[in-house]
Structure formats: C-alpha cells, structure tokens
Amino acid sequence: MIVRNLADARKTSRRVVSKTWESTRLLLKNDGVGFSFHITTMYAGTSTPMCYRNHFESVYCISGRGEIEDGATGERHSIAPGTIYILDKHDEHVLHAHTELVVACVFNPPLNGREVHDDSGAYPLEAEAVEA
C-alpha cells in the first residue's frame, strides 16, 4: 500500500516548477503500478502548448477556469470544476488558464518525476527519477 500526503510531497523533489505551471507528482514509475498521478497548478493568465507523443494523459479539473484548444482544429472546450479531458491520440493542444487552474493528471506510461516539456511540448519517455 502506498499512502502520501499532497502538502508533504510539495516539500520534496516530487514538486516540479516550470514557467506556466507547477506539478506535484504523487505517484511515479518507480512506484510500480503502471501509471503516474499528479496534482498540477496552471498559473492564471498563462497558455501552455503541449503534445504528449510518448504518453496518454487524462486531466480532471478540481478548481479554476480555462480552455483546452485542439491544435489540429482550433476548437476550444471550456474547462471548469468537474470537467475531464483525455488526450487519447497524442493530441497537440494548448491549455489556457483564465484563473489559477488546479487539475489531477494521470499519465500512461508513468513519468519518472523530473520531466518538463521539451520544445515540442512533450515529456521525454525516460527522464531523471525521483527517489522513492
């Protein structure tokens, strides 16, 4: 059994900070369950282009408001508490955070822990691991 506390994890190397977001990775590859689970905060007023060519991601909005923009079609979908979106085709997208946006994210395959987006908006398939 694995039990972790978000507030405690934020004080460790499980918290990764980038220009437009920060993410606390509560469950990672080295936990051995086949997926990773993160609580991510997108900073208000930011837009983050992403395209996870190496991962599938499911995102559930806990709080805040924003939009996800489909990179292929330009179509935008509102994001608000209770909304989930799934990037099931390695979709190119932009996440626009109108307010601070707190989301729960699941990645498959799981992340190692220290990943940040590369120039294409993807996470590398393998990256520096966080110690268990």
Side-chain angles (χ1 to χ4, degrees):
M1 180 182 298
I2 299 167
V3 178
R4 295 200 172 102
N5 176 277
L6 178 60
D8 292 341
R10 283 184 171 143
K11 299 173 190 169
T12 72
S13 61
R14 289 180 175 275
R15 180 173 175 252
V16 176
V17 178
S18 187
K19 184 177 180 179
T20 61
W21 54 266
E22 63 183 69
S23 181
T24 301
R25 282 87 190 264
L26 292 169
L27 193 63
L28 293 166
K29 183 177 181 178
N30 62 10
D31 290 310
V33 297
F35 62 93
S36 59
F37 180 81
H38 319 174
I39 300 296
T40 299
T41 301
M42 307 300 294
Y43 302 139
T46 63
S47 294
T48 306
M50 297 172 269
C51 182
Y52 296 118
R53 66 177 177 263
N54 299 313
H55 300 87
F56 295 104
E57 183 189 26
S58 175
V59 179
Y60 178 81
C61 180
I62 297 168
S63 66
R65 302 229 177 257
E67 290 180 308
I68 184 168
E69 179 181 353
D70 185 317
T73 67
E75 185 177 9
R76 289 181 176 229
H77 303 275
S78 293
I79 304 297
T83 304
I84 189 170
Y85 64 88
I86 297 93
L87 302 165
D88 61 335
K89 295 177 181 63
H90 306 288
D91 311 85
E92 185 177 327
H93 63 288
V94 179
L95 187 56
H96 304 279
H98 302 314
T99 67
E100 181 178 272
L101 193 59
V102 179
V103 295
C105 307
V106 176
F107 280 88
N108 183 21
L111 271 61
N112 286 293
R114 302 304 302 162
E115 290 88 346
V116 293
H117 299 109
D118 65 18
D119 290 340
S120 73
Y123 286 145
L125 188 54
E126 293 296 329
E128 180 184 353
V130 168
E131 293 186 28

